């Protein structure tokens, strides 16, 4: 070898070593990181769960004083993350895609750890739950890190009327990270805000009527309201197990579906509903519904009235939706325009549909059962909670808000004739509305702007997926929702994922501090 070749080889080695150093020192980009990005970095040794948790805890301490998205952080989160890191380095076995991934939990879902579960209220502070909620057991088994409790509208906005969305005595007023948006919406407000503002990777919300879908569209994130029963509701501060569901919130459909796959399934403590709905879970999970060509051949109905009611012709939003429809057609979707749901005005009126009558009675029954089941608690019944509010008028803003819904619920007396008739009415409206429409037009799904038809979908226990659709001229987010019959979750995922991939709407919020 000549000396010039030597020098050349040395130089080459030098350059190669610099290059490999510089790639291995490229800092991990936390903002908008997906679960897939994170798992890749875990596997490449560029990041571990402890670092990820510390990053999010830092972000929370910086941004939460403004956002009020998090009520409590888990004092064990860093320990749990180190354990996950250790397990990754020693275990040869296949780890779950949620292994080492931080998840924020809405404050009405029981965690049997140092975190309190309070539905945003001081009345439940210090109560001790008997065990983890069904979905939390599944998260822990998968190796997910419980990062903390998300703020929410107190008592799922079932205390009174006219209470500010995203407000609770324990969490304060949640703020939308997009400064020009009106509100974070509710009731899963903190779950949406935290994901939108990159305070966590993914979060859990709960939804009966609008509680995941509205915060999702308002904060420009993905929200999945699964078919009732697909996810267990055991260990959840309830309103009505007949209609309520727990679902994921995330920045991308893929992340939301990764979380969904972990939390679905049978739970002996919510046996009837989870057994009935377990037939809707695909054998290989929902992951395989994440198909780029998921819109191909799908028949999607445009609930036109809902679009024109919300956004006038010629507005940025209306024009954006038209462009999205065109994109969907180009991706092979068959859009059926100008369809109408029979009795939609009645279904959108929670008094006329029977929703209110049924929920008032169901709330008292199910809340009392939840409170009785606690190991210990300052309150043991709805009557106790009402008394607590009266005794704490300042924290509970009693002068401003009162508790008219609680009082109405307290006066109910179980499921009698009126409630049974209301339930029959809701079932009939859903049959003549969604079920007949979908069958007559052979639809896979219907779509509407934002979460505008949530009442209509709520009374049938129908699944909804909401995804970002755009930003108005002031920069406030808006969204689109896809809904279908019970059990159509896999189809909705195909549609919403392909829509997301074809439109790529989401932009992170501006720097807040
Ligand atoms: C995580 O990575 C950091 C930086 O490489 C390292 O200092 C730390 O020990 C790691 N933690 C665990 C639990 O592996
Ligand atoms: C739970 O509430 C108690 C007050 O009852 C408080 O001392 C504790 O710090 C709370 N837990 C967390 C994790 O914040
Ligand atoms: C954008 O939407 C927000 C509501 O989220 C509203 O307050 C604002 O007026 C809208 N701006 C425009 C230009 O339409
Ligand atoms: C579950 O279903 C059985 C059989 O239909 C019924 O007897 C029972 O009351 C149900 N349990 C609940 C909690 O709804
Ligand atoms: C909703 O229905 C109730 C009872 O049927 C009726 O009194 C009320 O006017 C309706 N509200 C609207 C906005 O139509």
């Amino acid at each position: 070898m000549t000396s010039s070749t030597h020098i050349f080889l040395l130089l080459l080695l030098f350059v190669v070593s610099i290059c490999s150093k510089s790639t291995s020192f490229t800092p991990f980009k936390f903002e908008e990181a997906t679960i897939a990005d994170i798992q890749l970095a875990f596997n490449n040794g560029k990041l571990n769960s402890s670092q990820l948790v510390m990053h999010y805890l830092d972000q929370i301490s910086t941004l939460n004083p403004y956002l009020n998205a998090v009520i409590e952080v888990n004092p064990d989160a860093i320990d749990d993350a180190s354990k996950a890191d250790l397990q990754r380095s020693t275990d040869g076995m296949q780890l779950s895609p949620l292994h080492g991934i931080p998840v924020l939990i809405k404050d009405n879902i029981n965690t049997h750890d140092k975190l309190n579960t309070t539905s945003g209220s001081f009345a439940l502070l210090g109560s001790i739950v008997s065990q983890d909620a069904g979905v939390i057991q599944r998260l822990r088994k998968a190796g997910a890190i419980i990062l903390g409790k998300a703020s929410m509208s107190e008592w799922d906005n079932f205390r009174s009327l006219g209470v500010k969305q995203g407000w609770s005595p324990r969490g304060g007023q949640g703020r939308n990270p997009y400064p020009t948006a009106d509100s974070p919406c509710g009731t899963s407000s903190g779950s949406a805000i935290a994901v939108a503002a990159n305070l966590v990777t993914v979060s859990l919300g709960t939804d009966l009527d609008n509680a995941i879908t509205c915060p999702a569209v308002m904060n420009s994130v993905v929200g999945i309201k699964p078919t009732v029963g697909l996810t267990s509701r055991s260990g959840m501060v309830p309103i009505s197990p007949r209609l309520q569901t727990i679902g994921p919130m995330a920045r991308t459909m893929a992340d939301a579906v990764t979380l969904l796959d972990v939390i679905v399934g049978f739970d002996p403590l919510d046996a009837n509903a989870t057994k009935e709905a377990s037939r809707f879970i695909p054998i290989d999970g929902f992951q395989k519904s994440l198909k780029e060509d998921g819109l191909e051949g799908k028949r999607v109905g445009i609930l036109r009235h809902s679009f024109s009611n919300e956004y006038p012709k010629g507005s940025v939003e209306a024009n954006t939706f038209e462009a999205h429809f065109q994109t969907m057609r180009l991706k092979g979707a068959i859009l059926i325009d100008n369809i109408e749901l029979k009795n939609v005005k009645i279904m959108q009126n929670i008094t006329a549909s029977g929703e209110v009558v049924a929920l008032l009675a169901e709330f008292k029954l199910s809340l009392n059962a939840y409170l009785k089941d606690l190991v210990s608690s300052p309150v043991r019944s709805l009557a106790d909670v009402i008394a607590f509010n009266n005794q704490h008028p300042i924290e509970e803003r009693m002068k401003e808000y009162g508790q008219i819904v609680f009082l109405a619920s307290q006066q109910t007396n179980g499921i009698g004739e009126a409630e049974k008739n209301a339930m029959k009415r809701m079932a009939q409206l859903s049959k003549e509305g969604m079920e007949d429409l979908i069958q007559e037009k052979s639809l896979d799904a219907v779509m509407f702007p934002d979460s505008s038809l949530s009442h209509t979908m709520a009374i049938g226990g129908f699944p909804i997926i909401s995804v970002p659709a755009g930003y108005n001229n002031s920069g406030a987010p808006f969204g689109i929702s896809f809904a279908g019959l019970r059990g159509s979750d896999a189809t909705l995922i195909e549609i919403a994922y392909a829509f997301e991939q074809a439109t790529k709407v989401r932009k992170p919020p501006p720097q807040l501090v």
Side-chain angles (χ1 to χ4, degrees), residues 8 282 393 494:
F8 174 76
E494 289 187 23

Side-chain angles (χ1 to χ4, degrees), residues 22-238:
S22 72
T23 39
S24 69
F25 277 74
T26 308
F28 180 76
K29 190 170 178 290
F30 290 103
E31 190 181 54
E32 300 291 285
T34 64
I35 291 174
D37 294 336
I38 292 167
Q39 291 297 352
L40 184 66
F42 282 171
N43 290 331
N44 290 343
K46 292 197 172 180
L47 178 74
N48 58 32
S49 179
S50 316
Q51 291 170 305
L52 183 63
V53 164
M54 282 190 257
H55 167 80
Y56 286 135
L57 293 178
D58 264 2
Q59 290 299 104
I60 290 169
S61 67
T62 308
L63 294 172
N64 203 55
Y66 171 76
L67 291 171
N68 287 329
V70 180
I71 300 185
E72 288 181 1
V73 294
N74 184 357
D76 291 331
I78 292 177
D79 267 7
D80 293 347
S82 338
K83 279 179 202 146
D85 287 333
L86 190 65
Q87 200 186 357
R88 182 178 299 274
S89 65
T90 56
D91 257 20
M93 67 177 219
Q94 194 71 26
L95 296 172
S96 152
L98 273 195
H99 192 268
I101 301 292
V103 184
L104 191 71
I105 310 298
K106 188 175 176 180
D107 192 41
N108 62 348
I109 302 173
N110 291 356
T111 55
H112 190 50
D113 50 20
K114 292 181 184 147
L115 293 160
N116 296 288
T117 303
T118 68
S119 210
S121 168
F122 284 108
L124 278 175
L125 186 60
S127 68
I128 295 174
V129 304
S130 60
Q131 58 180 319
D132 279 332
V135 293
I136 300 296
Q137 291 176 25
R138 288 179 178 275
L139 284 182
R140 291 203 208 270
K141 219 173 277 166
I145 311 299
I146 307 299
L147 190 66
K149 285 295 177 53
S151 65
M152 57 184 282
S153 308
E154 189 196 21
W155 296 112
D156 263 323
N157 200 22
F158 209 75
R159 187 186 107 186
S160 201
L161 305 173
V163 183
K164 278 228 174 92
Q165 296 278 8
W167 173 80
S168 76
R170 291 204 64 223
Q173 179 60 57
R175 287 207 179 87
N176 193 310
Y178 296 84
T180 53
D182 285 342
S183 93
C185 202
T187 61
S188 306
S189 43
S191 307
I193 296 165
V195 166
N198 281 278
L199 304 184
V200 70
T201 313
V202 288
S203 64
L204 282 187
T206 69
D207 194 330
L208 191 161
D209 183 342
N210 218 8
I212 285 178
T213 51
C214 185
V217 298
M218 294 290 279
N219 294 279
S220 208
V221 297
V222 168
I224 300 183
K225 181 202 177 200
T227 294
V228 171
L230 205 58
T231 52
S232 163
R233 288 81 41 80
S234 79
M236 173 188 72
V237 185

Side-chain angles (χ1 to χ4, degrees), residues 282-302:
I283 290 161
D284 304 319
F286 290 103
Q287 203 73 28
K288 70 169 199 274
S289 304
L290 299 171
K291 300 195 279 206
E292 294 275 344
D293 64 352
L295 282 164
E296 185 69 48
K298 292 292 189 311
R299 293 174 60 86
V300 185
I302 305 174

